[in-house]
Every structure is written in C-alpha cells, then in structure tokens.
Amino acid sequence: RPLPPLTEVDLAMAPRLLLVFAQAALTGAISQRHAAHATANPIRKVVNMLQMMQKKVEEEGASAEVLFQKYMCYCKTSGGALSESIEAAKAKVPDLVAGIKAAEGKLVQLKKDVKEHHADRTSAQAAIEEATGIRAKEAAAFGKEVAESKADIAALKKAIAALERGMFGGFLQTSAVAVVRKLVSQSKEMLDADQKEVLSFLSGQQGDGYAPASGEIVGILKQMLDEMVKDYKDTVATERNAMKDFEGLVASKKKEAAVSSKSIEVKLQRSADLGVQIATMKNDLGDTSEALDEDKAFLADMEKNCASKGKLHEEEKNMRAQEVVALADTIKILNDDDALEL
C-alpha cells in the first residue's frame, strides 16, 4: 500500500529524524562493540553509510538544481515568447478592428456608387428613347413640309413659265393656278397692292393672252419664288442640323451609358473583393482574439506554476542543506577518537 505524501511538518522534522537515526545507529554500534571485539569496527560501518548518504543527498541536490535551472530557463524563454505573442496580438486586434471599419465604409460607398451609376445609365437610355421619338416626329413633319414646299415651288415655276411664254390663259385652266392663288393669298411678305393685283390677274380678269401687266406680275412671282426657295433651303439646313444634333446627343448618351456600365462592372467586382477581405479580417480578428485569451491564460498559469516551483525548490534545498549538516555533525561525532576506541 502506498505511503501518504509528506507534509511540510514532515519535511521540517526530517533532519532531526536523521540525526536520531544516526545516534541510534551509534548506540547500537557501541553495544555491538562490547559484544564482539573480534569483528570489524561497527562505528566505521555506520560512518561509511552516513558518508554515502551525505554524498547521495549532495548529488540529488546538484541534480535537482540542474533540473530547476532548466525549468526556470523554460519559464523565462516560454514566458518571453508568450509575452511577445500577447503584445503582438494586442497591437493587431485594434488594427484589424480599424481595418474592418474602414473596409465596411468603403463597401457602403461602393454600393451607393453602383446605385448612382445604374440611375445614370437608365437616365441616358431614357434620353436616347425620348430624343429618338422627338426626332421621328420632326422627320415626319420635315417630310411633309418639304413635299408641300416642292409642290408649291413647282406650281409657281409653272405659272411664271406660262406668263413668260404668253400662255397664261392655258395655265389658268390647270390645277396649279389654285396652288399659286393660295400661296399669294397667304403670303405675309407681299404688299397688299401687289397681292390684290396678282390675285386679280390669277382670277382671269385681265382676259386671255399676254397682257401688258403680266411682266410686273412675273416679277412679283419670281420674287416670291426666290423667297420660297430660300425658305426651302433653310428648312433643309435646319433638318440637317437637327439630325446632326440628334446623332451627337445619341452618341453622347450612349457613351455615358457605356461609362456607367463599365463603372458598375468595376465597382461590383471591387465590392466582391472587399467583401472577401472583410470576411477574412473578421475571421483573423476572431482567431487573434481567441489566441490572445488562450495565451494570457497559459502565461498566467505558467507564471503561477513557475513561482510555485521556485518556492518548492527553495524548501527542498533548505531541507537538503539541513540533512547534509545533520549528517556531517553525526559523522564528526562518530569520527571522534574516543568513539572509535570504544
């Protein structure tokens, strides 16, 4: 059956017990000396035994000191490494927290930018659709206006040609005369007197044939024709400019839409990368915080154990010192000449 562990009282009493044992051995040796003179000196045997015990205690003390110094070196080295790890983690945690906060702020801004780019692209596409609808209406109106202008110009030229050939009577029998009459009556540039004279002429009140007043009428109609041709050219030029402006607007809006699409693509990718970065930093933060707590707990436990080991080592060292002194004192007594002569 195993013996119970020694208490601090037991350890303190050990040197005294050893001395008692030595004295008892001495007494027994003396008794044996009186009982048997022919045998070897029993005191010498006890001295040798005690010297061996002393040597063993000293060797155990030296061995324990070596082990203790190694353990203390481990405490110092491991404690230093743990302290460095803890300090590094303490510095890393706030950096990670700040990094996560900054990255999340950037992610919010990127999402806001993507939303704005979507709105810009939608606006550009809507502007193209609106401009296309307006252009279609303007083109239809231009086509109608050009067709009417060409018909009016053709009718006016026909009237002027008929007057110049002296065949105005035949012209009055054509449908073109109604067109010319309408143009003259609606003209805002023509003087009232000229307008009345031309309308009277077109009504046939001058009679058949080339009348002397027809020369003046031709001049008025030619002036009117020049103005109509000029208006026609202006209308065509305006249409060309409108078409050019439309094409420029469409090209510009298409470019804006393309830029917005590219920005959306780039920032969506950046958002995805930033999301991965944030997740990685959060995982790193969790691992670092967990390791920090573990290192702190391990360091505290190690410091406690190292301190306890140091205290225990001093107690054992003192105990061995007392044992060595007790053994030395006993050996000195036994080595006394009188004792050896017993």
Side-chain angles (χ1 to χ4, degrees):
R1 188 172 59 182
L3 296 175
L6 296 177
T7 64
E8 292 184 0
V9 176
D10 295 333
L11 292 175
M13 292 294 292
R16 297 179 183 177
L17 293 173
L18 183 60
L19 182 57
V20 171
F21 169 75
Q23 291 173 347
L26 176 59
T27 302
I30 293 172
S31 299
Q32 291 179 7
R33 175 65 175 172
H34 288 292
H37 292 282
T39 61
N41 190 339
I43 297 176
R44 176 57 59 191
K45 290 182 179 181
V46 172
V47 169
N48 290 338
M49 181 185 68
L50 293 177
Q51 287 175 340
M52 291 177 62
M53 289 177 63
Q54 183 181 26
K55 183 179 179 181
K56 184 177 181 181
V57 170
E58 290 174 346
E59 288 175 351
E60 288 176 351
S63 178
E65 183 66 26
V66 171
L67 292 176
F68 173 72
Q69 292 302 326
K70 288 182 178 180
Y71 187 77
M72 287 296 102
C73 181
Y74 160 76
C75 289
K76 183 178 180 181
T77 303
S78 299
L82 279 173
S83 296
E84 291 178 0
S85 177
I86 290 170
E87 291 304 317
K90 285 182 177 179
K92 186 177 181 180
V93 167
D95 288 344
L96 285 172
V97 172
I100 292 170
K101 184 177 180 180
E104 288 177 338
K106 290 180 180 178
L107 185 59
V108 170
Q109 184 59 47
L110 282 173
K111 289 181 178 180
K112 182 180 179 181
D113 292 345
V114 168
K115 185 176 180 180
E116 291 177 355
H117 292 320
H118 273 295
D120 292 341
R121 185 173 64 181
T122 300
S123 177
Q125 292 171 342
I128 292 174
E129 292 177 1
E130 182 181 4
T132 300
I134 294 174
R135 180 88 283 274
K137 292 179 180 180
E138 290 177 347
F142 168 76
K144 181 178 179 181
E145 184 177 356
V146 165
E148 291 177 353
S149 295
K150 286 182 177 180
D152 293 342
I153 290 172
L156 196 54
K157 286 182 177 180
K158 186 175 182 181
I160 293 171
L163 285 172
E164 289 179 336
R165 291 196 305 269
M167 300 176 63
F168 191 70
F171 172 74
L172 292 177
Q173 303 303 317
T174 66
S175 59
V177 68
V179 176
V180 175
R181 188 181 296 114
K182 179 181 177 182
L183 292 173
V184 172
S185 63
Q186 293 180 350
S187 176
K188 296 180 180 180
E189 289 80 10
M190 189 178 294
L191 297 175
D192 291 343
D194 293 341
Q195 190 177 44
K196 289 179 180 180
E197 184 178 356
V198 173
L199 289 174
S200 176
F201 186 83
L202 291 174
S203 65
Q205 297 177 5
Q206 301 288 341
D208 296 335
Y210 186 81
S214 61
E216 183 179 352
I217 298 300
V218 169
I220 295 172
L221 293 179
K222 281 185 175 183
Q223 182 179 359
M224 186 177 178
L225 177 62
D226 291 341
E227 293 175 353
M228 290 179 63
V229 170
K230 180 179 179 299
D231 290 343
Y232 171 78
K233 291 180 178 180
D234 290 344
T235 299
V236 172
T238 300
E239 173 63 15
R240 288 175 180 172
N241 291 333
M243 189 64 186
K244 184 178 179 180
D245 292 342
F246 167 73
E247 291 173 349
L249 174 64
V250 170
S252 176
K253 292 301 179 181
K254 284 184 176 180
K255 185 177 180 180
E256 289 179 11
V259 170
S260 296
S261 296
K262 183 62 178 179
S263 297
I264 290 171
E265 179 183 352
V266 170
K267 292 186 177 181
L268 282 176
Q269 183 60 49
R270 286 176 59 188
S271 296
D273 294 341
L274 203 55
V276 173
Q277 182 181 347
I278 290 171
T280 301
M281 287 192 293
K282 285 184 176 180
N283 288 335
D284 193 7
L285 177 61
D287 293 342
T288 302
S289 299
E290 183 178 351
L292 177 60
D293 293 338
E294 291 176 355
D295 287 348
K296 283 181 176 180
F298 188 82
L299 179 60
D301 186 61
M302 187 182 70
E303 289 176 345
K304 179 181 178 181
N305 291 336
C306 289
S308 176
K309 182 67 174 179
K311 182 180 179 181
L312 179 61
H313 176 71
E314 287 300 321
E315 292 175 352
E316 291 176 349
K317 190 175 180 181
N318 291 333
M319 182 187 72
R320 288 192 186 94
Q322 292 175 18
E323 290 178 354
V324 170
V325 170
L327 288 169
D329 290 343
T330 305
I331 292 170
K332 183 179 180 182
I333 295 173
L334 292 177
N335 280 332
D336 184 82
D337 292 341
D338 294 337
L340 291 174
E341 292 298 328
L342 292 175

PDB file of all heavy atoms in Angstrom, residues 68 71-72 75 301-315:
ATOM      1  N   PHE A  68      16.131  22.266 -11.916  1.00  0.00           N
ATOM      2  CA  PHE A  68      15.428  23.503 -11.577  1.00  0.00           C
ATOM      3  C   PHE A  68      15.851  24.651 -12.505  1.00  0.00           C
ATOM      4  O   PHE A  68      15.023  25.429 -12.969  1.00  0.00           O
ATOM      5  CB  PHE A  68      15.707  23.865 -10.119  1.00  0.00           C
ATOM      6  CG  PHE A  68      15.160  25.211  -9.719  1.00  0.00           C
ATOM      7  CD1 PHE A  68      13.796  25.400  -9.557  1.00  0.00           C
ATOM      8  CD2 PHE A  68      16.005  26.314  -9.548  1.00  0.00           C
ATOM      9  CE1 PHE A  68      13.283  26.641  -9.202  1.00  0.00           C
ATOM     10  CE2 PHE A  68      15.499  27.551  -9.190  1.00  0.00           C
ATOM     11  CZ  PHE A  68      14.140  27.725  -9.026  1.00  0.00           C
ATOM     12  N   TYR A  71      14.256  24.246 -15.776  1.00  0.00           N
ATOM     13  CA  TYR A  71      12.840  24.620 -15.705  1.00  0.00           C
ATOM     14  C   TYR A  71      12.679  26.133 -15.678  1.00  0.00           C
ATOM     15  O   TYR A  71      11.790  26.690 -16.326  1.00  0.00           O
ATOM     16  CB  TYR A  71      12.205  23.984 -14.469  1.00  0.00           C
ATOM     17  CG  TYR A  71      10.709  24.169 -14.406  1.00  0.00           C
ATOM     18  CD1 TYR A  71       9.855  23.399 -15.185  1.00  0.00           C
ATOM     19  CD2 TYR A  71      10.139  25.138 -13.560  1.00  0.00           C
ATOM     20  CE1 TYR A  71       8.486  23.571 -15.136  1.00  0.00           C
ATOM     21  CE2 TYR A  71       8.774  25.320 -13.496  1.00  0.00           C
ATOM     22  CZ  TYR A  71       7.947  24.528 -14.294  1.00  0.00           C
ATOM     23  OH  TYR A  71       6.596  24.712 -14.250  1.00  0.00           O
ATOM     24  N   MET A  72      13.541  26.813 -14.916  1.00  0.00           N
ATOM     25  CA  MET A  72      13.493  28.269 -14.862  1.00  0.00           C
ATOM     26  C   MET A  72      13.827  28.891 -16.224  1.00  0.00           C
ATOM     27  O   MET A  72      13.261  29.908 -16.623  1.00  0.00           O
ATOM     28  CB  MET A  72      14.477  28.781 -13.806  1.00  0.00           C
ATOM     29  CG  MET A  72      14.053  28.542 -12.366  1.00  0.00           C
ATOM     30  SD  MET A  72      12.513  29.429 -11.914  1.00  0.00           S
ATOM     31  CE  MET A  72      11.310  28.075 -12.007  1.00  0.00           C
ATOM     32  N   CYS A  75      10.768  28.571 -18.189  1.00  0.00           N
ATOM     33  CA  CYS A  75       9.796  29.591 -17.764  1.00  0.00           C
ATOM     34  C   CYS A  75      10.134  30.942 -18.384  1.00  0.00           C
ATOM     35  O   CYS A  75       9.256  31.658 -18.883  1.00  0.00           O
ATOM     36  CB  CYS A  75       9.795  29.706 -16.237  1.00  0.00           C
ATOM     37  SG  CYS A  75       9.056  28.280 -15.390  1.00  0.00           S
ATOM     38  N   ASP A 301      -1.049  30.892 -15.884  1.00  0.00           N
ATOM     39  CA  ASP A 301      -0.900  29.584 -15.259  1.00  0.00           C
ATOM     40  C   ASP A 301       0.578  29.201 -15.157  1.00  0.00           C
ATOM     41  O   ASP A 301       1.022  28.644 -14.138  1.00  0.00           O
ATOM     42  CB  ASP A 301      -1.660  28.536 -16.080  1.00  0.00           C
ATOM     43  CG  ASP A 301      -1.672  27.176 -15.412  1.00  0.00           C
ATOM     44  OD1 ASP A 301      -2.194  27.083 -14.294  1.00  0.00           O
ATOM     45  OD2 ASP A 301      -1.130  26.225 -16.012  1.00  0.00           O
ATOM     46  N   MET A 302       1.356  29.498 -16.215  1.00  0.00           N
ATOM     47  CA  MET A 302       2.770  29.170 -16.209  1.00  0.00           C
ATOM     48  C   MET A 302       3.518  29.984 -15.155  1.00  0.00           C
ATOM     49  O   MET A 302       4.383  29.460 -14.438  1.00  0.00           O
ATOM     50  CB  MET A 302       3.380  29.431 -17.593  1.00  0.00           C
ATOM     51  CG  MET A 302       4.829  28.951 -17.712  1.00  0.00           C
ATOM     52  SD  MET A 302       5.534  29.325 -19.317  1.00  0.00           S
ATOM     53  CE  MET A 302       5.660  31.100 -19.186  1.00  0.00           C
ATOM     54  N   GLU A 303       3.209  31.275 -15.061  1.00  0.00           N
ATOM     55  CA  GLU A 303       3.854  32.112 -14.043  1.00  0.00           C
ATOM     56  C   GLU A 303       3.541  31.607 -12.640  1.00  0.00           C
ATOM     57  O   GLU A 303       4.411  31.595 -11.755  1.00  0.00           O
ATOM     58  CB  GLU A 303       3.393  33.566 -14.209  1.00  0.00           C
ATOM     59  CG  GLU A 303       3.965  34.248 -15.443  1.00  0.00           C
ATOM     60  CD  GLU A 303       3.415  35.644 -15.635  1.00  0.00           C
ATOM     61  OE1 GLU A 303       2.388  35.973 -14.994  1.00  0.00           O
ATOM     62  OE2 GLU A 303       4.009  36.410 -16.419  1.00  0.00           O
ATOM     63  N   LYS A 304       2.311  31.154 -12.461  1.00  0.00           N
ATOM     64  CA  LYS A 304       1.913  30.607 -11.160  1.00  0.00           C
ATOM     65  C   LYS A 304       2.701  29.338 -10.861  1.00  0.00           C
ATOM     66  O   LYS A 304       3.227  29.152  -9.764  1.00  0.00           O
ATOM     67  CB  LYS A 304       0.411  30.325 -11.170  1.00  0.00           C
ATOM     68  CG  LYS A 304      -0.105  29.738  -9.868  1.00  0.00           C
ATOM     69  CD  LYS A 304      -1.606  29.466  -9.968  1.00  0.00           C
ATOM     70  CE  LYS A 304      -2.119  28.821  -8.677  1.00  0.00           C
ATOM     71  NZ  LYS A 304      -3.573  28.524  -8.778  1.00  0.00           N
ATOM     72  N   ASN A 305       2.775  28.444 -11.859  1.00  0.00           N
ATOM     73  CA  ASN A 305       3.493  27.183 -11.673  1.00  0.00           C
ATOM     74  C   ASN A 305       4.993  27.414 -11.459  1.00  0.00           C
ATOM     75  O   ASN A 305       5.628  26.744 -10.644  1.00  0.00           O
ATOM     76  CB  ASN A 305       3.287  26.272 -12.879  1.00  0.00           C
ATOM     77  CG  ASN A 305       1.860  25.769 -12.963  1.00  0.00           C
ATOM     78  OD1 ASN A 305       1.151  25.709 -11.964  1.00  0.00           O
ATOM     79  ND2 ASN A 305       1.425  25.409 -14.163  1.00  0.00           N
ATOM     80  N   CYS A 306       5.559  28.376 -12.228  1.00  0.00           N
ATOM     81  CA  CYS A 306       6.988  28.656 -12.091  1.00  0.00           C
ATOM     82  C   CYS A 306       7.292  29.232 -10.705  1.00  0.00           C
ATOM     83  O   CYS A 306       8.306  28.876 -10.074  1.00  0.00           O
ATOM     84  CB  CYS A 306       7.440  29.626 -13.184  1.00  0.00           C
ATOM     85  SG  CYS A 306       7.465  28.889 -14.845  1.00  0.00           S
ATOM     86  N   ALA A 307       6.414  30.112 -10.229  1.00  0.00           N
ATOM     87  CA  ALA A 307       6.604  30.678  -8.892  1.00  0.00           C
ATOM     88  C   ALA A 307       6.478  29.594  -7.827  1.00  0.00           C
ATOM     89  O   ALA A 307       7.259  29.536  -6.861  1.00  0.00           O
ATOM     90  CB  ALA A 307       5.591  31.788  -8.644  1.00  0.00           C
ATOM     91  N   SER A 308       5.503  28.694  -8.012  1.00  0.00           N
ATOM     92  CA  SER A 308       5.298  27.601  -7.054  1.00  0.00           C
ATOM     93  C   SER A 308       6.492  26.653  -7.067  1.00  0.00           C
ATOM     94  O   SER A 308       6.951  26.191  -6.011  1.00  0.00           O
ATOM     95  CB  SER A 308       4.018  26.849  -7.412  1.00  0.00           C
ATOM     96  OG  SER A 308       3.845  25.733  -6.568  1.00  0.00           O
ATOM     97  N   LYS A 309       7.008  26.417  -8.286  1.00  0.00           N
ATOM     98  CA  LYS A 309       8.176  25.549  -8.412  1.00  0.00           C
ATOM     99  C   LYS A 309       9.391  26.175  -7.720  1.00  0.00           C
ATOM    100  O   LYS A 309      10.172  25.478  -7.050  1.00  0.00           O
ATOM    101  CB  LYS A 309       8.477  25.316  -9.890  1.00  0.00           C
ATOM    102  CG  LYS A 309       9.649  24.371 -10.143  1.00  0.00           C
ATOM    103  CD  LYS A 309       9.335  22.965  -9.692  1.00  0.00           C
ATOM    104  CE  LYS A 309      10.452  22.014 -10.077  1.00  0.00           C
ATOM    105  NZ  LYS A 309      10.201  20.624  -9.636  1.00  0.00           N
ATOM    106  N   GLY A 310       9.563  27.456  -7.860  1.00  0.00           N
ATOM    107  CA  GLY A 310      10.682  28.136  -7.206  1.00  0.00           C
ATOM    108  C   GLY A 310      10.592  28.045  -5.699  1.00  0.00           C
ATOM    109  O   GLY A 310      11.597  27.801  -5.001  1.00  0.00           O
ATOM    110  N   LYS A 311       9.407  28.219  -5.150  1.00  0.00           N
ATOM    111  CA  LYS A 311       9.205  28.140  -3.707  1.00  0.00           C
ATOM    112  C   LYS A 311       9.492  26.733  -3.208  1.00  0.00           C
ATOM    113  O   LYS A 311      10.173  26.533  -2.186  1.00  0.00           O
ATOM    114  CB  LYS A 311       7.769  28.550  -3.373  1.00  0.00           C
ATOM    115  CG  LYS A 311       7.472  28.538  -1.881  1.00  0.00           C
ATOM    116  CD  LYS A 311       6.023  28.969  -1.624  1.00  0.00           C
ATOM    117  CE  LYS A 311       5.716  28.935  -0.137  1.00  0.00           C
ATOM    118  NZ  LYS A 311       4.296  29.328   0.136  1.00  0.00           N
ATOM    119  N   LEU A 312       8.956  25.735  -3.953  1.00  0.00           N
ATOM    120  CA  LEU A 312       9.167  24.345  -3.563  1.00  0.00           C
ATOM    121  C   LEU A 312      10.646  23.977  -3.627  1.00  0.00           C
ATOM    122  O   LEU A 312      11.171  23.260  -2.764  1.00  0.00           O
ATOM    123  CB  LEU A 312       8.351  23.425  -4.482  1.00  0.00           C
ATOM    124  CG  LEU A 312       8.477  21.924  -4.218  1.00  0.00           C
ATOM    125  CD1 LEU A 312       8.001  21.601  -2.802  1.00  0.00           C
ATOM    126  CD2 LEU A 312       7.679  21.134  -5.246  1.00  0.00           C
ATOM    127  N   HIS A 313      11.323  24.497  -4.668  1.00  0.00           N
ATOM    128  CA  HIS A 313      12.756  24.205  -4.809  1.00  0.00           C
ATOM    129  C   HIS A 313      13.545  24.762  -3.626  1.00  0.00           C
ATOM    130  O   HIS A 313      14.464  24.096  -3.104  1.00  0.00           O
ATOM    131  CB  HIS A 313      13.280  24.798  -6.119  1.00  0.00           C
ATOM    132  CG  HIS A 313      14.754  24.640  -6.302  1.00  0.00           C
ATOM    133  ND1 HIS A 313      15.342  23.422  -6.560  1.00  0.00           N
ATOM    134  CD2 HIS A 313      15.793  25.558  -6.245  1.00  0.00           C
ATOM    135  CE1 HIS A 313      16.654  23.576  -6.661  1.00  0.00           C
ATOM    136  NE2 HIS A 313      16.948  24.865  -6.483  1.00  0.00           N
ATOM    137  N   GLU A 314      13.223  25.953  -3.199  1.00  0.00           N
ATOM    138  CA  GLU A 314      13.914  26.545  -2.043  1.00  0.00           C
ATOM    139  C   GLU A 314      13.680  25.730  -0.791  1.00  0.00           C
ATOM    140  O   GLU A 314      14.589  25.524   0.029  1.00  0.00           O
ATOM    141  CB  GLU A 314      13.443  27.990  -1.856  1.00  0.00           C
ATOM    142  CG  GLU A 314      13.967  28.971  -2.904  1.00  0.00           C
ATOM    143  CD  GLU A 314      15.493  29.039  -2.912  1.00  0.00           C
ATOM    144  OE1 GLU A 314      16.099  28.996  -1.815  1.00  0.00           O
ATOM    145  OE2 GLU A 314      16.057  29.106  -4.014  1.00  0.00           O
ATOM    146  N   GLU A 315      12.455  25.230  -0.604  1.00  0.00           N
ATOM    147  CA  GLU A 315      12.144  24.412   0.569  1.00  0.00           C
ATOM    148  C   GLU A 315      12.942  23.112   0.536  1.00  0.00           C
ATOM    149  O   GLU A 315      13.513  22.690   1.553  1.00  0.00           O
ATOM    150  CB  GLU A 315      10.641  24.116   0.608  1.00  0.00           C
ATOM    151  CG  GLU A 315       9.790  25.351   0.890  1.00  0.00           C
ATOM    152  CD  GLU A 315       8.306  25.050   0.814  1.00  0.00           C
ATOM    153  OE1 GLU A 315       7.946  23.919   0.399  1.00  0.00           O
ATOM    154  OE2 GLU A 315       7.497  25.939   1.146  1.00  0.00           O
TER     155      GLU A 315
END
